Amino acid sequence: MFKNMYFKRLVLSCAAVIFFLLTIFYKYVLVQQEIKENKLQVVCTTNIIADAIKNIAGDYIHLDMLMGPGVDPHLYKPIEQDVTKIAQADVIFYNGLHLEARMSDLFKNMQTIKTTVAVTQDIPVAKLIRSQEHEEYFDPHVWFDPKLWAYAVTTISQILQKHDPKHKNTYQKNSSIYLEKIANMYQVTRKKIATIPKHKRVLISAHDAFEYFARAYNCQVMSLQGISTASEAGTKDIQKLANFIISHKIPAIFLETSIPPRNIQAVQQNVASHGLTLKIGNELYSDALGTYGTKQGTYIGMLTYNVATIVQELR
Ligand SMILES: [Zn+2]
């Protein structure tokens, strides 16, 4: 009996190991097959860019994304596997405008040997917002203005058409459909935000990711940190923000999925020390989409979710 159980366990563990090895082998074979099929090898940084690429090119290309859900691109450092992926890539898409602070120089320097494309490169400078903290930089969070993100989608589409001319017509058609979906989403979400009374339309969060959102959706925005999450909010900033919240009777502030919550919690405690209650609303997506396969794992789903959350807490 005992021996029988031991044997069963042994068979089950062997089966698990074989299954694991087969999965790895299958993945390896798939990648090799894609290289053989001459699929364009594309690498991108954020999952926001990845979503645009998938909508345009689907399975016609092989896509590797460096930063997944919950990853803060301002602080991201490339790991060993990233270097291999970058070396094998035909085309590399990154946000630019210094979003990927620690990788921007790498991509710029690689321009002579690889096609590296900042997806924000064709946005007219006049439409960009200057960083409040660093005058020499522009705010990189352009995806929060759907009209500006449309420029990025068009840039991605044009580059893919150029490097994979076999599928040019499909990419053209797909990007038109995707741009139309983005425009529809913008119209719907704008109407939703407009249902919040103007004086309550103040969005307060952990870092300055929502300046473009505020402009596109006619809101006021305040945050604790500057544009990059690399700088820490000081006690003075926390006090200043708490005073603003108290005097303007703001009901809720928001956390972000890619930023630690400690600073926002400090503001809540400060407001509470004045005998008032401040709600911390659900997390907003800022610099990364949600998990792949969920609604928030797409650009359109993420903005729709953020808007629904903001409306629910502030109206
Ligand atoms: Zn950011």
Side-chain angles (χ1 to χ4, degrees):
M1 169 79 175
F2 193 72
K3 254 189 184 172
N4 209 359
M5 266 177 67
Y6 175 76
F7 182 70
K8 261 188 191 167
R9 268 190 206 155
L10 188 72
V11 169
L12 280 174
S13 353
C14 284
V17 170
I18 290 169
F19 178 72
F20 177 68
L21 290 175
L22 275 176
T23 312
I24 291 180
F25 180 69
Y26 180 66
K27 276 191 178 162
Y28 173 78
V29 169
L30 268 186
V31 171
Q32 291 307 311
Q33 205 176 340
E34 279 172 351
I35 292 171
K36 260 193 224 152
E37 280 171 11
N38 284 328
K39 275 191 180 184
L40 190 73
Q41 304 292 303
V42 180
V43 164
C44 70
T45 53
T46 68
N47 57 0
I48 304 171
I49 300 172
D51 187 49
I53 297 171
K54 279 180 211 152
N55 271 283
I56 296 164
D59 287 334
Y60 287 129
I61 54 145
H62 174 81
L63 176 65
D64 271 316
M65 167 182 84
L66 305 184
M67 304 170 194
V71 174
D72 181 348
H74 302 286
L75 304 176
Y76 187 81
K77 272 194 280 186
I79 53 171
E80 212 180 309
Q81 288 106 300
D82 294 345
V83 180
T84 317
K85 285 174 190 168
I86 288 168
Q88 286 171 351
D90 298 312
V91 180
I92 298 157
F93 289 109
Y94 64 107
N95 187 82
L97 299 176
H98 220 68
L99 177 79
E100 302 93 342
R102 298 180 178 205
M103 298 177 89
S104 302
D105 290 340
L106 172 81
F107 293 137
K108 261 191 196 157
N109 294 337
M110 279 173 69
Q111 266 172 351
T112 48
I113 45 166
K114 285 225 179 249
T115 305
T116 61
V117 180
V119 301
T120 54
Q121 69 185 18
D122 299 321
I123 300 175
V125 174
K127 292 183 193 279
L128 294 173
I129 298 173
R130 282 228 173 253
S131 154
Q132 283 172 4
E133 247 192 333
H134 307 282
E135 263 294 299
E136 68 274 30
Y137 295 136
F138 289 109
D139 181 341
H141 306 89
V142 289
W143 55 90
F144 279 122
D145 180 342
K147 279 188 169 169
L148 291 196
W149 195 240
Y151 282 98
V153 171
T154 307
T155 302
I156 294 169
S157 177
Q158 283 166 351
I159 297 288
L160 289 174
Q161 287 172 43
K162 187 178 158 198
H163 289 267
D164 191 13
K166 225 173 26 185
H167 302 109
K168 189 177 177 2
N169 292 343
T170 310
Y171 295 167
Q172 235 166 11
K173 200 177 117 206
N174 287 352
S175 56
S176 304
I177 295 169
Y178 188 48
L179 286 170
E180 210 178 301
K181 281 185 189 167
I182 291 176
N184 284 341
M185 175 272 296
Y186 181 41
Q187 241 185 358
V188 173
T189 47
R190 245 176 90 87
K191 278 186 191 152
K192 284 197 174 147
I193 289 288
T195 62
I196 306 169
K198 187 85 212 283
H199 70 280
K200 282 166 89 181
R201 235 179 281 156
V202 185
L203 183 61
I204 299 172
S205 70
H207 91 295
D208 266 346
F210 297 102
E211 289 286 341
Y212 289 104
F213 181 89
R215 192 177 66 181
Y217 287 88
N218 198 15
C219 295
Q220 202 186 330
V221 72
M222 288 193 85
S223 77
L224 266 179
Q225 281 171 321
I227 296 291
S228 162
T229 47
S231 63
E232 287 285 316
T235 327
K236 256 192 186 168
D237 299 324
I238 290 168
Q239 184 65 55
K240 216 172 105 188
L241 193 55
N243 290 344
F244 179 88
I245 289 164
I246 293 163
S247 61
H248 288 76
K249 298 189 176 69
I250 308 290
I253 53 177
F254 298 92
L255 296 174
E256 291 168 44
T257 54
S258 54
I259 312 287
R262 60 180 183 276
N263 291 340
I264 281 293
Q265 280 159 353
V267 175
Q268 189 189 36
Q269 280 160 15
N270 194 302
V271 173
S273 73
H274 291 83
L276 296 162
T277 313
L278 174 69
K279 193 178 170 195
I280 294 188
N282 280 339
E283 281 183 321
L284 297 179
Y285 290 87
S286 56
D287 292 359
L289 303 178
T291 315
Y292 181 66
T294 64
K295 202 179 149 204
Q296 290 91 294
T298 67
Y299 169 70
I300 289 176
M302 176 274 287
L303 258 176
T304 307
Y305 170 86
N306 272 4
V307 165
T309 307
I310 293 165
V311 171
Q312 184 192 319
E313 303 294 354
L314 295 184
R315 194 161 55 186

